[in-house]
């Protein structure tokens, strides 16, 4: 039986953030190995509509997709089908086309061959040199001058944006997990939506987690919210295509808070939930261990696109595992050392604290990402209130 807590302090944090206009709406959920012990929400599914958000509302979880896709790759490693140390191009030959962007001569990109071949592990740990436009100005400029789109519109040409560093030389958050999804598909001989359904969401009973929502679920989805000229939240609609040219392992899934907490609980429990095992204990332990091998995680990643994201201020004491951001020290009043976490661009966030024995996540669908005094502050306030209630 899961624990019981007084959630009134958390309720107050959520309601206050909506009342203050920090977020258009919010849902938060927390669980332990035995089940969910907190769920709360505040605000409308879409601004101006009567329906309120709940743990059953569909959100685009964006980069919270990454750990799900990474899990399917780790399953292939466990089965002996995938070698993390093999070059990516062994599985997807077209990856060999990708070059390193050294700079620009006027508006002409200056490209060269990478000094070494990127491995599958480089994709899992964001050390391949691939980047995202919103945290790397050179990639933003490259996409602008060449007409190569970013990954959001769903055009497969986006995968062939260049690296901005040689593989294995630095941590650079980027389209790595989109390429990892291509590797998983090549190994499985089928598409990523099928792989995830058969190996993660199906076994875990996550029937509301999928790339393309069916008609019945579309009406349950929150639109993306942005600020209008008057500063008030307004709906910006869907933002991403429902049927892209490929299923993006980096950002493509829809889920509900109640569904995704099942995935978190499986990781919290060492890879198993309700008799379904998705990973071995030792694989989960590796995911929650430093996998950067001495490559430092940046303490700050400056925004290159303020409309999309604020700068990420992590500070010292963080590293990366398999698909997870890891804090190497206890956060006072909050998560313990070696918790695993990540977030989604539309302001969703999860963490799994194996020492305390809890996992939790918080959802809104709004831009910009991690705005310093809005969504980012709310994440911290929720976490503090949750641990105070334990």
């Amino acid at each position: 039986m899961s624990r019981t807590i007084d959630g009134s302090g958390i309720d107050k944090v959520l309601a206050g953030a909506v009342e203050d206009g920090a977020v258009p709406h919010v849902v938060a959920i927390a669980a332990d190995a035995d089940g969910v012990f907190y769920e709360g929400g505040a605000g409308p599914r879409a601004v101006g509509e009567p329906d309120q958000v709940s743990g059953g509302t569909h959100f685009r979880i964006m980069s919270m997709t990454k750990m799900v896709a990474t899990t399917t790759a780790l399953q292939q490693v466990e089965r002996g089908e995938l070698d993390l140390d093999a070059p990516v191009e062994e599985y997807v030959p077209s990856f060999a086309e990708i070059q390193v962007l050294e700079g620009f001569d006027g508006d002409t990109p200056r490209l060269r061959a990478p000094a070494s071949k990127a491995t599958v592990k480089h994709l899992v740990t964001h050390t391949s040199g691939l980047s995202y436009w919103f945290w790397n100005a050179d990639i933003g400029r490259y996409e602008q001058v060449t007409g190569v789109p970013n990954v959001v519109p769903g055009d497969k040409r986006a995968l062939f944006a260049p690296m901005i560093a040689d593989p294995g030389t630095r941590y650079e958050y980027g389209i790595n997990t989109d390429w990892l999804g291509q590797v998983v598909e090549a190994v499985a001989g089928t598409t990523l939506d099928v792989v995830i359904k058969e190996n993660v969401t199906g076994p875990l009973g996550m029937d509301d987690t999928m790339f393309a929502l069916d008609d019945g679920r579309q009406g349950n989805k929150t639109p993306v919210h942005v600020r209008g000229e008057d500063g008030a939240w307004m709906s910006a609609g869907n933002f991403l295509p429902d049927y892209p040219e490929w299923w993006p392992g980096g950002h493509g899934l829809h889920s509900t808070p109640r569904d995704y907490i099942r995935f978190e609980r499986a990781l919290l429990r060492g890879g198993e939930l309700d008799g379904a095992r998705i990973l071995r204990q030792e694989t989960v332990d590796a995911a929650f261990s430093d996998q950067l091998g001495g490559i430092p995680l940046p303490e700050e990643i400056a925004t290159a696109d303020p409309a999309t994201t604020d700068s990420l201020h992590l500070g010292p004491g963080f590293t990366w595992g398999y698909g997870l951001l890891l804090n190497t020290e206890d956060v006072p009043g909050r998560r313990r050392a070696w918790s695993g976490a990540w977030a989604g661009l539309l302001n969703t966030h999860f963490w799994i604290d194996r020492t305390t024995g809890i996992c939790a996540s918080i959802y809104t669908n709004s831009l910009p990402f991690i705005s310093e005094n809005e969504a980012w502050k709310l994440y911290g306030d929720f976490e503090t209130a949750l641990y105070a209630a334990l």
Side-chain angles (χ1 to χ4, degrees), residues 267-268 270 281 284-285 288 338-339 352-358:
L267 295 176
L268 179 67
Q281 177 74 58
V284 176
D285 290 344
F288 281 82
W338 300 104
S339 296
I352 301 159
D353 179 346
R354 300 199 299 167
T355 301
T356 305
I358 67 164

Side-chain angles (χ1 to χ4, degrees), residues 60-361:
R60 278 198 179 274
I61 62 170
M62 301 302 284
S63 288
M64 282 168 54
T65 304
K66 287 182 168 68
M67 190 58 196
V68 179
T70 298
T71 295
T72 63
L74 295 175
Q75 290 171 335
Q76 291 177 337
V77 172
E78 288 183 347
R79 293 194 293 263
E81 300 165 353
L82 177 62
D83 179 0
L84 288 179
D85 295 321
V88 178
E89 63 191 64
E90 277 191 18
Y91 300 100
V92 188
S94 59
F95 189 85
E97 299 171 24
I98 297 178
Q99 294 188 289
V100 177
L101 177 64
E102 285 206 307
F104 296 86
D105 295 321
D107 280 342
T108 304
R110 199 164 61 250
L111 300 165
R112 63 166 173 83
S116 60
K117 293 184 188 297
T119 65
V120 178
K121 185 175 180 180
H122 289 143
L123 296 181
V124 175
T125 56
H126 293 278
T127 54
S128 73
L130 295 170
S131 189
Y132 273 128
W133 82 96
F134 53 82
W135 276 336
N136 189 285
D138 284 344
I139 286 297
R141 185 175 177 200
Y142 175 87
E143 290 169 347
Q144 194 175 17
V145 300
T146 62
V148 171
N150 68 49
V151 288
V152 168
D155 184 327
K156 206 162 185 180
R157 289 178 302 154
L159 289 170
F160 293 90
M163 301 164 180
I164 52 86
D166 285 309
T169 61
R170 71 193 233 201
Y171 178 94
E172 181 76 25
Y173 187 62
I175 61 172
N176 297 279
T177 320
D178 291 314
W179 272 108
L180 184 65
Q182 299 293 295
V183 171
V184 167
E185 288 188 346
V187 170
T190 188
T191 50
L192 189 61
D193 58 331
V194 174
V195 177
I196 287 174
K197 176 70 174 173
E198 290 181 352
N199 296 282
V200 181
T201 58
L204 293 180
M206 298 167 61
D207 297 334
D208 282 324
T209 302
M210 58 194 71
F211 285 103
L213 294 181
D214 54 34
D215 290 344
R217 289 176 172 89
Q218 280 286 359
N220 183 48
K221 178 167 105 177
T222 172
V224 182
H225 288 79
V226 298
R227 295 214 184 263
E229 288 183 9
D230 60 358
W233 290 109
M234 56 176 276
S235 169
N238 197 14
F239 184 72
L240 288 97
D242 282 316
Y243 292 94
E245 288 183 7
W246 91 102
W247 299 120
H251 63 268
L253 286 175
H254 297 86
S255 191
T256 67
R258 288 173 197 155
D259 245 26
Y260 200 85
I261 201 78
R262 293 188 62 77
F263 177 63
E264 293 176 64
R265 286 181 61 217
L267 295 176
L268 179 67
R269 293 167 56 98
E272 172 277 333
L273 181 67
D274 296 342
R277 178 160 291 281
I278 58 167
L279 288 173
R280 297 174 189 158
Q281 177 74 58
E282 57 267 31
T283 305
V284 176
D285 290 344
F288 281 82
S289 305
D290 173 29
Q291 297 293 344
L292 290 184
I295 296 174
L297 196 79
E299 293 186 13
E300 179 176 338
I301 304 176
T303 181
D305 182 0
T308 300
T309 181
D310 209 336
S311 297
L312 177 63
H313 305 289
L314 285 176
F318 287 88
T319 188
W320 196 263
Y322 289 151
L324 295 168
L325 174 73
L326 307 171
N327 53 299
T328 62
E329 299 163 7
D330 289 351
V331 182
R334 292 166 60 177
R335 70 190 71 176
R336 300 290 297 277
W338 300 104
S339 296
W342 201 230
L345 188 66
L346 299 178
N347 287 308
T348 61
H349 176 73
F350 79 94
W351 78 94
I352 301 159
D353 179 346
R354 300 199 299 167
T355 301
T356 305
I358 67 164
C359 53
S361 39

